[in-house]
Amino acid sequence: MASSQTSFRTWAELDKDALRHNLAELRRHLSEQVQVMAVVKANAYGHGVEWVVRALRGEVEWFGVANLEEAKEIASLASGNAILVLGPALPEERAALVEGGFTPVISDFEEARAYAALGGKAGVGVHLAVDSGMGRLGVWETEAVELAKACQTLRGLRITGVGTHLPVADEDDDYTLQQMGRFRSLVNELRSMHLFDGPVHIENSAGAIGFPSDAEDLVRAGLMLYGASPRAEFQEKLLPVLQWKARVTLVRSMATGRTVSYGRTFVIPQASRVATVSVGYADGYSRHLSNRGAEVLIQGIRCPLLGRVTMDQIMVDVTAVPSVVVGEEVVLLGRQGDQEVTAWELARKSETIPWEIFTGIGRRVIRMNAVR
Ligand SMILES: *Cc1c(COP(=O)(O)O)cnc(C)c1O
């Protein structure tokens, strides 16, 4: 983590208080006994996994990661927390996963048998993933009891949790309610047959926000912790954790008829002041923002992006900011004065989702603590 912004071309300022605030809002929204798994896959949604784990390790019960590499990355930092690996492991990753003490998910008997063989005397605890409509991993819901029964015959394996995933918790409430109802019946059946012992988890951010009373034992929260709500009604409760900035590297006057950037897609309509800014698509400022009404903030004023985003630089219209100087701060994502560019705004303008905006923020973007 860097400590001074003065020499950076593009950087992200991270606010620990905002992260903890968002977690507190989630807890307030849920029943008291519901546990929280902070999902920190993909470098904690681009926020810097070390920073996020250090900030939350005393505050959440679980961390969720995508794969073995990510689990190993946080193992020593998050020693007080359980770590669930959300995706299926490759066969050659399983031994290290068990040795690391991480919790894998299983979808079929072949995975169960492989983990059982690695379980030794102590046995390995796994979570049974159930496919109740996501179609990505898990045993299909009508075959889950059969698989859990088969697992009971395996020495070296215990089912220590059961989970499923919601594909439309922010798009289709009827489907989501039906899906959760079916899953709850299945869990009751598994429980009555003593086929597992441990937490039941269903909900991502959208699920936890939209259906707090269906949370069961544990929610797996990602996006909302970082301050973007997948459901509009909760957005006002959350604070953005990350602000993304760059700097003005040049300011020039451009006459009517001159063109800006590759493809010459933007023609200067009348004499303008144009600033060049030190960020590009290689930093994660998407090329899909080109000619889509994207704006950056300079001195609290919205300045339109001109022409195409290039690899390392963008050009913006600063005619409305006559006092702009080289070196000045440019806000790509975040607040300046009374203006704010949100991850949702960038996502809509580049036809994607805030998850991709955050995870797309590149390696050249220095992560640092926000100065309050
Ligand atoms: C990524 C992920 C989550 C977190 O989703 P958000 O929408 O970011 O809250 C939860 N569960 C699983 C299985 C995931 O892969």
Side-chain angles (χ1 to χ4, degrees), residues 201-215:
H201 45 98
I202 306 176
E203 294 182 338
N204 52 7
S205 295
I209 290 166
F211 311 94
S213 57
D214 296 287

Side-chain angles (χ1 to χ4, degrees), residues 37 39-41 45 65-66 84 86-87 134 136-137 164-166 170 201-207 219-226 230 355:
M37 175 187 301
V39 177
V40 295
K41 60 196 182 188
Y45 291 46
V65 295
L84 184 69
L86 297 162
M134 177 66 188
R136 184 168 68 176
L137 55 87
T164 196
H165 195 42
L166 305 173
D170 47 359
H201 45 98
I202 306 176
E203 294 182 338
N204 52 7
S205 295
V219 297
R220 306 182 307 262
L223 189 72
M224 61 98 41
L225 293 178
Y226 306 104
W355 292 260

Side-chain angles (χ1 to χ4, degrees), residues 7-8 12 22 51 137 172 195 229 232 260 267 305 321 326 351:
S7 60
F8 300 137
N22 297 336
W51 182 87
L137 55 87
D172 186 342
L195 291 173
S229 177
V260 180
V267 183
L305 172 70
V321 199
V326 168
E351 282 184 49

Side-chain angles (χ1 to χ4, degrees), residues 178-191:
Q178 287 168 22
Q179 185 190 3
M180 291 191 295
R182 290 196 312 273
F183 181 68
R184 215 172 353 263
S185 311
L186 167 62
V187 165
N188 288 338
E189 205 178 334
L190 293 168
R191 205 176 256 139

Side-chain angles (χ1 to χ4, degrees), residues 134-190:
M134 177 66 188
R136 184 168 68 176
L137 55 87
V139 58
W140 180 241
E141 55 190 353
T142 59
E143 293 154 20
V145 170
E146 195 187 337
L147 175 58
K149 278 185 183 162
C151 288
Q152 264 196 330
T153 68
L154 295 170
R155 249 185 279 167
L157 185 100
R158 289 166 292 117
I159 299 178
T160 53
V162 180
T164 196
H165 195 42
L166 305 173
V168 284
D170 47 359
E171 291 176 52
D172 186 342
D173 288 2
D174 289 341
Y175 181 86
T176 301
L177 285 165
Q178 287 168 22
Q179 185 190 3
M180 291 191 295
R182 290 196 312 273
F183 181 68
R184 215 172 353 263
S185 311
L186 167 62
V187 165
N188 288 338
E189 205 178 334
L190 293 168

Side-chain angles (χ1 to χ4, degrees), residues 54-124:
R54 280 180 203 280
L56 293 184
R57 59 187 167 187
E59 317 277 326
V60 296
E61 289 80 12
W62 287 77
F63 285 107
V65 295
N67 56 47
L68 172 65
E69 280 312 307
E70 293 185 351
K72 290 200 310 207
E73 220 179 323
I74 66 167
S76 62
L77 289 173
S79 54
N81 300 91
I83 299 174
L84 184 69
V85 179
L86 297 162
L90 290 165
E92 62 269 30
E93 294 174 325
R94 289 171 187 152
L97 218 153
V98 172
E99 269 162 40
F102 313 125
T103 304
V105 298
I106 60 157
S107 302
D108 60 28
F109 191 64
E110 128 73 23
E111 286 182 293
R113 204 164 40 195
Y115 282 116
L118 295 163
K121 277 209 195 90
V124 56

